[in-house]
Amino acid sequence: MELDKLKYELRGELKAGLNDEQRAEHKSELKNGLEDRLKLAEAMDEEQLRQVMSLYGNDIWNYIYYLTKNTEQADDLAQEVFVKCFYRIGTYRGTASLKGWLLTIARNTVFSYRKSRFFRTGLWGSGIQSLTAAGPEEQQGALEEAGQLLGTTRSAEMEYMGNQQTKDIWSVIMKLPDKLREVLVLDLKAELSINEIAELTGLPPGTVKSRLHRARRKVQDKLRGLQ
């Protein structure tokens, strides 16, 4: 499969996506057995790649977006993650979940991009996209993602946040320090356990718990201050 063709098809798949109901049904049909097949595979075909994307495409895009705060970067880097998945599936051995493996690739891809971007910025200068600089459609999409983030919460204290204006919630979450925002997104949006977040980030489980507690408290305090 040619790389340019793959990237073009991945962009279409990411743009199309599945709604939550479709994704839940699709997951129940595809997830069983898919990881077992892929952890023994030396290569994957295009249909298997589409199945992986239908299961985890939104999770990967959202995670990258919350790390970069940039929709165009999220589009480009999410494509890169699935290109890497396609060509590196032979390195997946099932020691972690497939989603965890993909999130690790996503995290490393973002960090590698940041390093290269640091040098590009130092040499040429570069603008940074912000939410306020985005167009109306991008702003609406970002706000919807914030609403979806809160819609998947599992902790009781986050119910308070669900009653707040989506715009306020979005603003608060995106202003969290990177280290707090990342673990909060992995907990709420990716629905990883404490141990899975620890394995992904390389942090001790106790540190993950501490950061989650601080992140939730900061969000709650900020939102109460807006009342």
Side-chain angles (χ1 to χ4, degrees):
M1 188 177 187
E2 296 180 2
L3 183 58
D4 289 342
K5 179 183 176 183
L6 176 58
K7 287 185 176 181
Y8 177 80
E9 293 188 2
L10 289 179
R11 180 175 291 275
E13 295 283 345
L14 285 168
K15 292 294 184 182
L18 294 173
N19 62 38
D20 290 341
E21 184 177 348
Q22 289 173 320
R23 195 176 304 111
E25 182 178 352
H26 218 44
K27 280 186 177 181
S28 65
E29 294 175 353
L30 295 178
K31 190 171 183 179
N32 292 336
L34 180 60
E35 292 190 10
D36 288 338
R37 291 195 300 274
L38 291 180
K39 73 182 179 182
L40 300 174
E42 291 301 323
M44 69 190 306
D45 57 34
E46 295 178 34
E47 180 57 31
Q48 287 175 321
L49 179 61
R50 290 190 176 92
Q51 290 177 355
V52 170
M53 289 194 63
S54 72
L55 289 170
Y56 305 117
N58 281 4
D59 290 331
I60 298 304
W61 191 94
N62 288 331
Y63 178 50
I64 293 174
Y65 179 77
Y66 283 107
L67 290 179
T68 63
K69 304 183 184 181
N70 187 298
T71 55
E72 291 183 1
Q73 288 176 19
D75 285 345
D76 292 341
L77 296 180
Q79 290 179 64
E80 186 173 339
V81 168
F82 287 104
V83 168
K84 289 177 178 177
C85 170
F86 184 81
Y87 288 108
R88 297 181 185 177
I89 193 62
T91 66
Y92 175 64
R93 289 295 178 261
T95 55
S97 68
L98 183 58
K99 179 165 73 171
W101 183 70
L102 290 169
L103 287 168
T104 299
I105 294 176
R107 191 172 195 262
N108 292 337
T109 299
V110 171
F111 286 3
S112 294
Y113 172 80
R114 283 177 173 172
K115 289 179 182 178
S116 64
R117 182 172 179 272
F118 172 80
F119 290 109
R120 291 200 307 271
T121 301
L123 289 171
W124 305 110
S126 176
I128 299 176
Q129 180 192 43
S130 67
L131 182 60
T132 56
E137 292 183 2
E138 289 179 336
Q139 290 187 35
Q140 182 60 34
L143 295 177
E144 288 174 358
E145 289 298 333
Q148 291 172 13
L149 171 65
L150 298 176
T152 60
T153 57
R154 301 183 304 237
S155 52
E157 72 268 27
M158 295 297 286
E159 291 179 4
Y160 168 82
M161 295 168 62
N163 297 324
Q164 304 300 310
Q165 298 251 341
T166 301
K167 185 176 181 179
D168 292 340
I169 296 169
W170 172 259
S171 178
V172 171
I173 291 174
M174 295 307 289
K175 288 178 181 177
L176 287 173
D178 289 351
K179 63 182 182 181
L180 300 185
R181 187 176 67 250
E182 180 180 15
V183 295
L184 185 61
V185 170
L186 289 172
D187 176 56
L188 301 180
K189 187 64 177 175
E191 296 185 338
L192 298 187
S193 67
I194 296 294
N195 288 336
E196 287 174 325
I197 296 174
E199 182 177 357
L200 173 62
T201 59
L203 298 169
T207 302
V208 173
K209 290 180 181 179
S210 174
R211 290 186 180 183
L212 281 173
H213 175 73
R214 289 164 56 198
R216 291 187 180 117
R217 191 167 70 177
K218 279 181 175 290
V219 171
Q220 290 173 351
D221 290 346
K222 289 287 187 181
L223 289 174
R224 291 190 181 103
L226 295 175
Q227 288 185 316

